[in-house]
Amino acid sequence: MICIFIIIVLACAIAVFYATIYNKFQEYIIRINEVESMIDTYLRNKYDLINKSIPIIKGNIKSEKEIFGEIVKLRSRKIGNFELYRILTRASNELNGLKTEFPDIEKSEEVKKILKQIADIDIKVDNCIDYYNDNISVYNTLLKKFPSNIIATFCKYEEKLFFDRKNMNDDDYEDFKL
């Protein structure tokens, strides 16, 4: 009788342990998915703003120079957040270069408004990336530490990559997707 009682208590303890760790993983998976969605939304908004600025900027500069060629090519491609972030970072740098090369661009109120919106989005994206990386760090730690690594192995959870803002011009990152 005592043996059966011990087995039942042990089974209950294992079930509670499993449920607790499993729920912890689920909490971080949900957070990561939510912030990925937010990053995606902000990046798409930034893409739309840069796209919207192309004809305005072309109208304000007297040059045959092709601008934002990479952005124009994106219109028919489906890409991940990391690659989109890289491309939009290069486009922002190109925009800043155009502002220096053609100071008249910033005289347009519409361009000023777009530049302000892009700057606001950049701040939001940076904050989301920090939050994303913080959650990835905790999630990956759970994957590696005992005893949660047992549940991770059982549930086939895999390590997730950080959203790395370094080496944004490095072609080695071409295939990375969030």
Side-chain angles (χ1 to χ4, degrees), residues 6 20 40 42 58 68 79 82 94 100 104 117 123 126 139 159 162 167-168 172-173:
I6 291 173
T20 302
D40 182 62
Y42 290 137
K58 281 184 178 180
F68 303 115
I79 60 171
F82 191 81
E94 183 179 350
T100 304
D104 291 343
Q117 289 173 324
I123 291 168
D126 284 342
Y139 174 85
E159 188 172 0
F162 289 94
N167 300 321
M168 293 312 295
D172 292 341
Y173 290 102

Side-chain angles (χ1 to χ4, degrees), residues 85-130:
Y85 179 79
R86 287 180 54 229
I87 291 168
L88 293 175
T89 298
R90 287 194 296 264
S92 290
N93 292 340
E94 183 179 350
L95 181 56
N96 288 328
L98 287 171
K99 287 184 341 191
T100 304
E101 190 177 343
F102 303 99
D104 291 343
I105 290 175
E106 287 191 282
K107 290 181 181 174
S108 165
E109 287 301 316
E110 201 167 1
V111 171
K112 283 182 187 176
K113 182 180 173 186
I114 289 172
L115 291 173
K116 171 77 171 109
Q117 289 173 324
I118 289 173
D120 291 344
I121 288 173
D122 284 340
I123 291 168
K124 291 175 184 176
V125 168
D126 284 342
N127 290 335
C128 284
I129 290 171
D130 290 341

Side-chain angles (χ1 to χ4, degrees), residues 48-107:
D48 291 342
L49 285 169
I50 291 174
N51 232 347
K52 181 179 170 183
S53 73
I54 293 172
I56 298 166
I57 291 172
K58 281 184 178 180
N60 284 311
I61 63 174
K62 308 295 184 250
S63 173
E64 294 299 314
K65 178 179 181 178
E66 182 185 333
I67 61 169
F68 303 115
E70 206 169 10
I71 295 292
V72 173
K73 292 175 192 171
L74 280 181
R75 292 178 181 160
S76 62
R77 288 179 54 204
K78 181 170 174 58
I79 60 171
N81 285 345
F82 191 81
E83 186 178 359
L84 182 59
Y85 179 79
R86 287 180 54 229
I87 291 168
L88 293 175
T89 298
R90 287 194 296 264
S92 290
N93 292 340
E94 183 179 350
L95 181 56
N96 288 328
L98 287 171
K99 287 184 341 191
T100 304
E101 190 177 343
F102 303 99
D104 291 343
I105 290 175
E106 287 191 282
K107 290 181 181 174

Side-chain angles (χ1 to χ4, degrees), residues 20-36 131-142 157 160:
T20 302
I21 300 298
Y22 178 82
N23 286 339
K24 193 70 158 168
F25 273 111
Q26 292 306 308
E27 177 185 339
Y28 283 98
I29 289 170
I30 289 168
R31 287 181 186 184
I32 291 165
N33 289 340
E34 285 175 346
V35 76
E36 281 178 349
Y131 182 72
Y132 175 85
N133 285 339
D134 290 345
N135 283 288
I136 290 294
S137 180
V138 173
Y139 174 85
N140 287 342
T141 301
L142 284 171
Y157 293 139
K160 294 187 181 274

